[in-house]
Amino acid sequence: MVEITNLYKKFGKNDVLNGINLSIKEGGIFAVLGPNGSGKTTIIKTILGMVIPDEGTIKVFESNIKNNSDYRHKIDYLPQIANFPSNLKVNELIKMIKDLRGHTEVDKDLIETFKLEPFLNKKLGTLSGGTKQKVNIVLTFMFNSPIIILDEPTTGLDPISLIRLKELIQAEKAKGKTIIITSHIMSFVEEVADEIVFILEGKMYFKGSISELKTKTKQQDFEHAIANILTENHV
Amino acid sequence: MFKILKYSFFDLMRSSWSYVYFAFYLLLGIVLLFLNNDLSKAVITLMNVIIVLVPLIGTIFGVMYYYNSKEFTELLLAQPLKRSSIFLGQYLGVAISLSMSLILGLGLPFIAYGLFKSNAIWDFSLLLIVGMFLTFIFSALAFNIALSNENRIKGFGYAILMWLFLAIIYDGLFLMSLILFEDYPLDKVSLIGTMLNPIDLSRTLILLKLDISALLGYTGAVFKQFFGTNFGLIISLFALLIWVALPVIRIVLKSKRKDF
């Protein structure tokens, strides 16, 4: 599905990724964890081709993504910070993305799920952070792509929307999709993720299921298990 | 690319700046024509304005548009689109909408004045063509500067410096070197020097077409011999084309390697 081999990336003098090897299987929810600045977003952006790696290869569905843009038809991406052109209206933005990616009807259901009807004719610059994130979610889930990448999907959401988002993620998983999530909210990850990978300073420290992590670190609780990796690796 | 071009173009057409720019040229055209009553003099005054102002506006709009549409660009980068089509689409959106403001803003008053019945139509068309070239050249240069500088203030500063250099400082250096080496034959050197700056090239091209090269003395005669002929015209238009092509090629190459 997604195969990352020997990935290196530097930003100036800052080594962000130091030889990441990662293989993500088809189907299920895969969480990428790590403290701030550990390179989670950079990994995701390299998969999307927004950041160009210094070394290493990435294959999505068996094909190398270098100098390729068509494979992004198979990926839906929810960016970390919902930055939209501020002078565009919500429905104009949705129409534009549809024009670029293809027709879909799913957006109507999503707009209803997240109660966005009153905002459709408002400019994106005037929306609150949480509402922008909802628009962001609609844009991400309205296409039926086999891979979904969510970068900090819970940011700014109210409890009801958070429940709806979890339902949405589970529904997509039930369709056999692969979902890649990064998050700082450990309870959220524990609830949804089938497999996790822990990244620290651009290196991989753990890959496996949450129960495997708990046995490995001899901790009862997921948050303590994560803290245990951190202290063991003197951070 | 055309979808991006369409969105950038309509985005700019909705911004009030395009209308301010359009209104400025409209006003300039009307004032020059109806207070001057001499079409060829109006064309010369226009030339002086266009040569300096069009590059400035192209530079500022190019840099501003790039930085302002950063969010839009990031949204597009995650979509199945080629990077070159995203950036070329945005660049063409800026360059075409600026050119349209220029052509419509100046064209309308001139048509109202009766341009089609006048001999000045060729001079006027050349002026508009040169103005379009300058728009395309300077917005491409501005995009290059913006692509290479993450910091907006720095990018803006470099862009203004680039304009200042090509519009004013270059001429000063050029003149000084001509005075310094006046004992040597300078015909070829000054021809090449003119070719290397799109603003100088445009100015020379128009001045010689307007047949006032006599004002330029001996150099004018040499220039007339070169630029006044069809061969010279073709070579200079070709040089302007290269001035568009090089920065555009760099936009494509640079955008391929950039991280977002």
Side-chain angles (χ1 to χ4, degrees):
Chain A
M1 199 75 173
V2 179
E3 282 284 337
I4 300 176
T5 351
N6 209 18
L7 197 66
Y8 283 88
K9 180 70 196 176
K10 256 185 189 178
F11 287 120
K13 282 177 192 157
N14 199 357
D15 288 316
V16 183
L17 301 180
N18 285 313
I20 297 272
N21 287 292
L22 189 59
S23 131
I24 298 171
K25 292 192 300 288
E26 193 166 348
I29 299 173
F30 192 91
V32 182
L33 304 178
N36 300 62
S38 56
K40 301 184 297 282
T41 299
T42 309
I43 291 184
I44 279 179
K45 285 188 168 179
T46 50
I47 296 175
L48 284 158
M50 293 169 79
V51 168
I52 305 197
D54 297 334
E55 233 180 277
T57 52
I58 298 170
K59 284 182 178 170
V60 176
F61 287 107
E62 312 293 313
S63 70
N64 197 329
I65 63 160
K66 207 175 172 189
N67 294 327
N68 187 353
S69 62
D70 271 345
Y71 76 99
R72 286 200 284 269
H73 270 298
K74 297 183 188 126
I75 301 180
D76 291 331
Y77 168 56
L78 181 93
Q80 184 170 14
I81 302 160
N83 270 335
F84 296 123
S86 54
N87 53 354
L88 224 62
K89 288 179 187 157
V90 176
N91 52 12
E92 286 173 333
L93 180 69
I94 293 175
K95 224 175 103 193
M96 185 183 92
I97 299 292
K98 275 192 196 172
D99 185 28
L100 291 171
R101 286 197 69 156
H103 187 72
T104 171
E105 288 291 328
V106 189
D107 57 316
K108 295 201 179 87
D109 303 335
L110 287 167
I111 287 167
E112 200 176 323
T113 315
F114 287 98
K115 306 271 174 275
L116 282 171
E117 293 96 342
F119 301 102
L120 284 180
N121 275 315
K122 295 218 166 103
K123 288 198 170 170
L124 285 152
T126 62
L127 299 183
S128 75
T131 316
K132 270 190 199 164
Q133 184 69 354
K134 288 183 200 167
V135 174
N136 207 356
I137 290 171
V138 171
L139 289 179
T140 309
F141 285 94
M142 70 184 189
F143 297 101
N144 205 6
S145 310
I147 301 176
I148 300 173
I149 298 179
L150 309 171
D151 198 354
E152 300 283 350
T154 54
T155 318
L157 288 183
D158 55 54
I160 301 172
S161 306
L162 190 58
I163 293 171
R164 300 235 164 84
L165 176 68
K166 282 180 196 161
E167 286 167 3
L168 202 58
I169 292 174
Q170 294 300 344
E172 296 298 312
K173 182 190 163 188
K175 289 183 200 162
K177 294 187 181 181
T178 312
I179 301 160
I180 303 170
I181 296 180
T182 74
S183 182
H184 281 119
I185 320 262
M186 290 303 157
S187 58
F188 176 74
V189 173
E190 194 173 7
E191 204 180 325
V192 299
D194 298 320
E195 201 177 357
I196 64 164
V197 57
F198 190 85
I199 288 169
L200 197 60
E201 287 166 351
K203 281 201 189 96
M204 238 171 60
Y205 280 83
F206 175 83
K207 183 175 183 270
S209 69
I210 293 174
S211 52
E212 278 168 21
L213 177 73
K214 284 178 185 166
T215 7
K216 192 184 167 194
T217 54
K218 301 185 191 79
Q219 297 285 337
Q220 299 291 309
D221 163 284
F222 180 46
E223 260 177 342
H224 283 95
I226 290 290
N228 191 282
I229 312 185
L230 282 171
T231 40
E232 263 180 25
N233 295 291
H234 53 268
V235 176
Chain B
M1 184 172 86
F2 291 104
K3 279 183 183 168
I4 309 293
L5 169 60
K6 187 180 81 188
Y7 285 113
S8 293
F9 182 76
F10 284 117
D11 186 29
L12 278 161
M13 279 291 127
R14 286 203 307 197
S15 99
S16 48
W17 284 106
S18 302
Y19 291 101
V20 172
Y21 191 49
F22 167 71
F24 170 78
Y25 278 122
L26 199 65
L27 200 72
L28 186 74
I30 291 169
V31 167
L32 281 179
L33 282 174
F34 294 98
L35 294 184
N36 216 338
N37 267 332
D38 183 342
L39 202 57
S40 54
K41 267 189 192 158
V43 170
I44 294 173
T45 315
L46 264 185
M47 179 207 77
N48 280 319
V49 177
I50 284 184
I51 288 297
V52 178
L53 202 69
V54 165
L56 179 66
I57 301 285
T59 308
I60 292 180
F61 257 73
V63 174
M64 236 166 54
Y65 188 77
Y66 177 88
Y67 286 128
N68 270 344
S69 56
K70 240 183 145 162
E71 286 102 32
F72 181 47
T73 311
E74 274 172 26
L75 191 69
L76 293 176
L77 282 166
Q79 308 300 329
L81 297 165
K82 280 201 193 103
R83 281 193 175 191
S84 53
S85 48
I86 296 175
F87 289 97
L88 285 184
Q90 291 187 346
Y91 158 65
L92 288 177
V94 173
I96 291 175
S97 70
L98 285 179
S99 304
M100 266 196 33
S101 297
L102 174 77
I103 290 172
L104 289 180
L106 287 181
L108 291 178
F110 272 77
I111 288 170
Y113 187 77
L115 177 78
F116 290 125
K117 290 185 213 113
S118 142
N119 292 328
I121 185 155
W122 294 114
D123 300 340
F124 183 71
S125 325
L126 183 68
L127 193 70
L128 287 189
I129 289 171
V130 164
M132 265 177 68
F133 264 118
L134 287 176
T135 305
F136 274 81
I137 291 168
F138 279 85
S139 33
L141 290 173
F143 258 70
N144 269 292
I145 291 173
L147 265 170
S148 308
N149 290 286
E150 275 303 297
N151 186 331
R152 289 169 191 228
I153 308 289
K154 256 192 188 168
F156 223 90
Y158 286 139
I160 296 290
L161 270 180
M162 185 248 334
W163 169 79
L164 201 68
F165 177 78
L166 288 177
I168 295 160
I169 299 171
Y170 186 90
D171 278 354
L173 294 177
F174 191 41
L175 252 160
M176 260 162 40
S177 62
L178 287 186
I179 293 168
L180 217 63
F181 298 106
E182 64 183 339
D183 297 339
Y184 302 91
L186 290 169
D187 321 355
K188 287 233 169 75
V189 178
S190 53
L191 268 180
I192 291 168
T194 308
M195 288 281 188
L196 290 180
N197 181 345
I199 296 184
D200 274 353
L201 186 60
S202 314
R203 183 187 290 130
T204 319
L205 201 61
I206 297 170
L207 278 181
L208 291 162
K209 257 283 167 287
L210 290 179
D211 231 9
I212 43 173
S213 51
L215 296 176
L216 299 174
Y218 170 68
T219 336
V222 175
F223 273 50
K224 179 80 188 166
Q225 229 174 38
F226 179 74
F227 287 103
T229 59
N230 277 336
F231 175 71
L233 186 73
I234 288 166
I235 292 283
S236 356
L237 288 180
F238 186 68
L240 285 175
L241 260 182
I242 288 182
W243 262 104
V244 178
L246 288 181
V248 168
I249 290 169
R250 192 174 171 272
I251 291 177
V252 173
L253 294 180
K254 180 82 194 165
S255 68
K256 264 196 189 139
R257 290 195 310 262
K258 196 172 155 68
D259 297 321
F260 290 89

